[in-house]
Amino acid sequence: MKRTRGSLAIGVAAACLQAAVAASAGAAAAVWQPKVSAGLESYVHTYYLATADTTEAVSEVLATAEIEGRSGRRDRHAWNLRLAASGGSELLRELLDGRYQWRPSGEPRLQLDVDWLGRQYRSGTEYALSSDNHEGTAECGPTLARPDRPARSASPRPLSPLPHAVDPRTELPRTRRRGLPGLRGFGDLSWRVGARAAARTYPDSTALDRDLVAVEADLDHAAGERHIWLYQRSERRLAAAPEVRPSAWSHWTEVRATWPLRHGEVVTSLGSEVWRYDRTDTVWFDSWRLESELGYGWGDPLRAHWRTLLTMERLDADAASEAYQQFGLRGTVESYAGPVSGMLALEYGHRWYRQTADEAAATDPFDDTFALAYSDFSYVEIWLMATWTWSDRLSLEVVASYQPEQHTEQDDDTAIGYGSARVVWRP
């Protein structure tokens, strides 16, 4: 019964996607592209434990096979579908990623996105204590347009209007959402609205299961090279076992803007993330995180596009020892032409916590609520995402990151590294 509950939203969405694909099968010939790859992934974590420095490393050799198909370009019912499966020395993974667009007049009016990922961990490996899990998401959103003001472009725009300002954190390549469809149907202004349903199930840990429902909207304005984008999402997370993990509300707001100058552009962003739990304790507590960026970019992404940014992050939380403020300086360079394309980013900064361990203990030595405290630290974060194309059929894809922290309390020093390299062949 638990599996049925966890995959209900994805089952309904997948059925709708399957019906749409079947409806468009006779309208235009579908195009299918297979792909196989083999590579190595490695995670390394160093930290101080008890009386000695500790290093944990998990490496996996894996092979992946996938196939991707899409409908004809002028099809009224447009779709694309990606299926993938991989087997490695540590775990097995399966992936389904699909999109459907209803385009009655050649322009998208409705879009449905479905994805699902399953993981099964091999016994006797470094991951043996991890929990098998299945994750699925369904997103659906209409595009609004006035009949007397037709859209100037029939191509859907990505959720982020600044493809060269994507925050290159390690987790983003694995969790980034593709967003809702949208057209410039009102001069230089467009907007999108949508709803999202998701479910996560753990076959051997039912108490961790949770469902999610959300509404989201964004407003996009472009005038020449000036660009402003506003985004709002509100979610309700429903826990299967509220006594173990409480249900919660979250609200995410983001504003991004670019302003052209004679030899470059000014880039700025502001983000807000709010969490409110039905029940708070030492692990789950209400919080508000605010982050901003201000920088300058120059160059050509088809050759080399450079960017330097001042970053700021602040967290206010019920747990005083968790609250902090952080400042950093980030530089990026990216290029998407030639045999080698991708992005390299480097950030250096410092984080100050509002309350130290000694201050937390002095507040009330008989109350251990929110007693966990952290020490201030300086950090360096390096990200690399690159593709080296050898031929039309063969390429090398590399993703790597390294994030060391140097704390005022030396025993708190830690470093996390990730690397992935795989050879991709397209028959």
Side-chain angles (χ1 to χ4, degrees):
M1 189 66 178
K2 176 175 67 65
R3 289 179 179 267
T4 301
R5 173 182 175 273
S7 59
L8 178 59
I10 300 305
V12 173
C16 295
L17 183 65
Q18 182 180 9
V21 172
S24 65
V31 177
W32 295 92
Q33 175 64 58
K35 181 171 68 174
V36 294
S37 64
L40 173 69
E41 289 187 358
S42 182
Y43 298 85
V44 180
H45 186 192
T46 63
Y47 54 92
Y48 193 84
L49 179 64
T51 59
D53 290 334
T54 302
T55 299
E56 291 188 358
V58 178
S59 298
E60 180 182 20
V61 178
L62 72 161
T64 304
E66 65 180 82
I67 185 169
E68 185 169 0
R70 60 174 176 80
S71 62
R73 296 184 180 276
R74 300 182 181 276
D75 199 335
R76 179 179 178 182
H77 298 278
W79 58 269
N80 58 55
L81 182 65
R82 177 179 169 225
L83 300 171
S86 67
S89 53
E90 298 289 331
L91 70 158
L92 305 175
R93 284 173 276 198
E94 306 84 34
L95 171 71
L96 180 151
D97 189 2
R99 167 175 289 186
Y100 164 73
Q101 286 183 344
W102 178 50
R103 306 187 301 194
S105 58
E107 302 171 354
R109 288 292 177 263
L110 180 68
Q111 180 165 309
L112 171 67
D113 287 279
V114 178
D115 69 73
W116 174 81
L117 174 65
R119 303 181 187 90
Q120 299 84 45
Y121 297 90
R122 296 182 181 275
S123 59
T125 67
E126 295 291 339
Y127 279 132
L129 297 180
S130 300
S131 175
D132 293 354
N133 62 84
H134 306 276
E135 301 177 37
T137 302
E139 296 182 4
C140 183
T143 296
L144 306 179
R146 286 166 43 182
D148 60 327
R149 301 281 299 273
R152 297 187 304 182
S153 170
S155 300
R157 307 185 65 189
L159 183 61
S160 171
L162 304 173
H164 304 298
V166 174
D167 188 353
R169 296 178 184 174
T170 305
E171 67 273 19
L172 286 182
R174 297 187 292 278
T175 62
R176 184 180 175 188
R177 308 300 310 148
R178 286 194 299 179
L180 303 175
L183 300 174
R184 293 187 182 183
F186 297 80
D188 295 321
L189 184 67
S190 67
W191 64 83
R192 310 162 186 82
V193 293
R196 180 184 180 195
R200 176 174 291 184
T201 66
Y202 293 83
D204 53 356
S205 302
T206 306
L208 299 181
D209 290 0
R210 58 185 181 270
D211 294 333
L212 180 148
V213 292
V215 293
E216 57 186 344
D218 69 82
L219 180 69
D220 195 349
H221 176 68
E225 296 183 3
R226 295 191 299 271
H227 205 160
I228 184 169
W229 177 69
L230 297 89
Y231 177 77
Q232 173 65 43
R233 184 183 74 205
S234 294
E235 295 181 350
R236 176 60 172 168
R237 177 173 293 184
L238 300 171
E243 67 280 3
V244 176
R245 173 181 297 189
S247 299
W249 283 97
S250 67
H251 307 280
W252 180 30
T253 306
E254 187 171 358
V255 180
R256 289 183 178 269
T258 57
W259 190 272
L261 299 177
R262 183 175 181 180
H263 299 293
E265 61 184 5
V266 174
V267 181
T268 182
S269 69
L270 179 66
S272 170
E273 184 179 9
V274 177
W275 283 90
R276 294 291 181 263
Y277 290 90
D278 294 358
R279 170 182 53 83
T280 59
D281 54 29
T282 56
V283 178
W284 313 103
F285 47 83
D286 296 344
S287 64
W288 178 31
R289 184 175 63 87
L290 186 68
E291 60 180 0
S292 64
E293 297 177 348
L294 176 63
Y296 179 74
W298 68 98
D300 183 357
L302 296 181
R303 294 188 178 93
H305 185 268
W306 301 81
R307 180 162 294 178
T308 179
L309 294 164
L310 293 172
T311 66
M312 186 277 290
E313 186 172 336
R314 178 185 178 91
L315 178 69
D316 290 321
D318 284 353
S321 59
E322 297 278 351
Y324 64 82
Q325 58 184 0
Q326 174 179 305
F327 294 92
L329 177 64
R330 179 190 303 163
T332 66
V333 58
E334 51 192 345
S335 176
Y336 297 98
V340 180
S341 64
M343 179 197 68
L344 175 65
L346 171 66
E347 180 173 337
Y348 174 80
H350 192 86
R351 176 179 294 187
W352 296 267
Y353 284 94
R354 183 178 304 172
Q355 188 177 62
T356 65
D358 292 340
E359 291 171 340
T363 302
D364 187 348
F366 301 101
D367 183 7
D368 61 356
T369 302
F370 305 138
L372 181 63
Y374 307 94
S375 58
D376 301 344
F377 63 87
S378 297
Y379 67 89
V380 175
E381 298 184 351
I382 304 172
W383 307 274
L384 172 65
M385 290 182 283
T387 299
W388 183 7
T389 302
W390 296 329
S391 68
D392 292 340
R393 296 176 179 248
L394 199 61
S395 62
L396 173 66
E397 297 180 357
V398 177
V399 177
S401 70
Y402 180 56
Q403 302 176 30
E405 298 176 2
Q406 186 173 8
H407 289 250
T408 54
E409 298 290 337
Q410 186 175 359
D411 289 352
D412 293 340
D413 289 356
T414 183
I416 298 176
Y418 168 77
S420 171
R422 63 173 186 165
V423 176
V424 180
W425 178 55
R426 299 172 177 82

